[in-house]
């Protein structure tokens, strides 16, 4: 594969000892990518899966510990039913094609989101994928599926209320206690959030967890996101951290 000068420079200048441990990505712009090419939206999603493959490979090669990808939000159910159905076929397809490489690269798959409301076949696919990769000790690949941050927070509050009512926990909790009730329990907060397609919003993604994260917005649609963009984001993250350290 061709490697341009910019990529080589970034490669040489990134400090492997100071990588963001947890990178989260809002994978936005598949539909617009397709529309601009006169292609069906499906084609954008199909290409989006290719980008997932490349990004997982790059993140794992680079030494990222946790990669969280926002794949489907609780709002996405409002899309046309043919599109929702197509999207729901992707997790199963993903594991059919990617499992060997995930195993080779020692990647463990984990899911965050409201799994109980997913179609049974999707639940089965993701549970099998998580089960088969649970022996892996390398990068954790977190898919946010049927995820919405406000509903996650409300779920957490309701679980706490139930546990207080049942006398299982004391009536006062702190921030650390609270995080144990989120889907991300046990996962450190993202150090870096990337959103593609030029939109500069959080869109109900990890509202609690992103409190101190660096934000980076890529001007390309998700299907055009590549290694160089990930390296740019990581490099910029390190520049910001270095400046911050000098104050
Ligand atoms: C479409 C771009 C992988 C964003 C990427 C159900 C939207 C491709 C998964 C996946 C989607 C999810 C869970 C899992 C394994 C793979 C996926 C959806 C959409 C929504 F365990 N890509 N991907 N899931 N797209």
């Amino acid at each position: 594969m061709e490697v341009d000068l910019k990529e080589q420079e970034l490669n040489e200048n990134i400090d492997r000892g100071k990588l963001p441990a947890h990178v989260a990505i809002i994978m936005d712009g598949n539909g617009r990518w397709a529309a601009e090419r006169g292609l069906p939206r499906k084609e954008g999603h199909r290409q989006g899966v290719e980008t997932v493959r490349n990004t997982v490979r790059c993140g794992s090669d680079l030494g990222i510990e946790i990669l969280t990808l926002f794949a489907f939000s609780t709002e996405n159910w409002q899309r046309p039913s043919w599109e929702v159905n197509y999207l729901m076929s992707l997790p199963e397809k993903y594991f059919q094609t990617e499992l060997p490489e995930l195993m080779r690269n020692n990647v463990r798959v984990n899911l965050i989101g409201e799994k109980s409301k997913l179609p049974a076949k999707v639940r089965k696919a993701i549970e099998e994928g998580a089960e088969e990769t649970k022996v892996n000790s390398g990068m954790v690949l977190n898919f946010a599926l049927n995820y919405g941050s406000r509903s996650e927070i409300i779920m957490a509050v309701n679980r706490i209320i139930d546990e207080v009512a049942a006398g299982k926990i004391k009536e006062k909790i702190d921030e650390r206690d609270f995080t144990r009730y989120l889907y991300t329990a046990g996962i450190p907060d993202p150090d870096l959030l990337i959103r593609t397609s030029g939109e500069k919003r959080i869109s109900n993604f990890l509202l609690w967890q992103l409190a101190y994260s660096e934000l980076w917005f890529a001007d390309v649609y998700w299907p055009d996101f590549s290694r160089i963009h990930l390296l740019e984001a990581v490099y910029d993250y390190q520049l910001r951290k270095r400046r911050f350290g000098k104050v």
Side-chain angles (χ1 to χ4, degrees):
M1 208 169 73
E2 197 183 313
V3 177
D4 65 24
L5 185 63
K6 184 93 186 282
E7 183 170 336
Q8 228 162 57
E9 273 170 7
L10 286 165
N11 250 329
E12 286 162 11
N13 285 304
I14 284 172
D15 181 346
R16 310 280 148 160
K18 288 183 178 132
L19 291 171
H22 183 176
V23 177
I25 308 183
I26 301 176
M27 307 185 287
D28 192 17
N30 298 308
R32 275 169 289 165
W33 180 91
E36 281 187 8
R37 285 160 181 76
L39 297 168
R41 288 177 67 83
K42 258 187 181 183
E43 194 53 34
H45 295 316
R46 211 187 54 76
Q47 200 58 49
V49 177
E50 292 281 311
T51 308
V52 169
R53 171 184 308 137
N54 285 325
T55 307
V56 169
R57 209 176 270 161
C58 290
S60 169
D61 287 351
L62 196 59
I64 302 291
E65 288 171 36
I66 307 164
L67 179 66
T68 296
L69 301 178
F70 198 6
F72 193 87
S73 79
T74 47
E75 286 90 49
N76 287 156
W77 294 108
Q78 288 158 31
R79 293 191 178 181
S81 62
W82 68 262
E83 187 175 356
V84 170
N85 290 340
Y86 180 72
L87 290 168
M88 289 300 149
S89 74
L90 293 177
E92 192 179 352
K93 279 198 200 121
Y94 179 81
F95 287 116
Q96 277 166 7
T97 57
E98 298 309 303
L99 195 61
E101 180 167 341
L102 293 172
M103 298 310 289
R104 257 198 323 277
N105 290 335
N106 201 19
V107 174
R108 179 158 59 93
V109 176
N110 182 57
L111 275 293
I112 60 170
E114 188 44 66
K115 282 175 252 182
S116 68
K117 288 179 188 136
L118 290 168
K121 75 166 173 63
V122 178
R123 247 184 6 241
K124 185 165 176 283
I126 63 179
E127 276 162 11
E128 283 176 6
E131 180 66 26
E132 282 167 304
T133 59
K134 78 173 182 200
V135 293
N136 294 340
S137 56
M139 187 176 79
V140 175
L141 172 58
N142 250 329
F143 281 105
L145 209 64
N146 197 22
Y147 177 85
S149 193
R150 287 186 174 182
S151 87
E152 173 189 38
I153 290 169
I154 295 300
M155 169 206 68
V157 170
N158 283 321
R159 283 177 57 196
I160 292 162
I161 291 170
D162 287 348
E163 292 194 3
V164 170
K168 284 191 199 156
I169 56 167
K170 58 187 189 323
E171 287 182 29
K172 294 282 178 280
I173 61 160
D174 60 19
E175 291 184 11
R176 255 179 63 108
D177 298 327
F178 186 71
T179 61
R180 292 195 299 107
Y181 295 86
L182 297 169
Y183 294 126
T184 50
I187 303 169
D189 291 339
D191 301 290
L192 172 63
L193 172 78
I194 298 172
R195 180 171 186 157
T196 58
S197 91
E199 306 295 341
K200 296 185 174 66
R201 298 186 295 280
I202 302 297
S203 300
N204 203 21
F205 187 47
L206 301 174
L207 298 178
W208 172 279
Q209 298 87 339
L210 291 170
Y212 298 102
S213 310
E214 294 292 337
L215 310 179
W216 200 79
F217 300 98
D219 272 328
V220 294
Y221 296 134
W222 176 248
D224 289 329
F225 186 84
S226 68
R227 181 179 166 82
I228 194 150
H229 302 107
L230 182 65
L231 294 176
E232 266 176 33
V234 168
Y235 182 65
D236 195 46
Y237 165 87
Q238 293 186 335
L239 280 183
R240 295 188 211 174
K241 287 283 158 191
R242 233 171 287 159
R243 277 200 295 271
F244 184 70
K246 276 182 195 148
V247 178

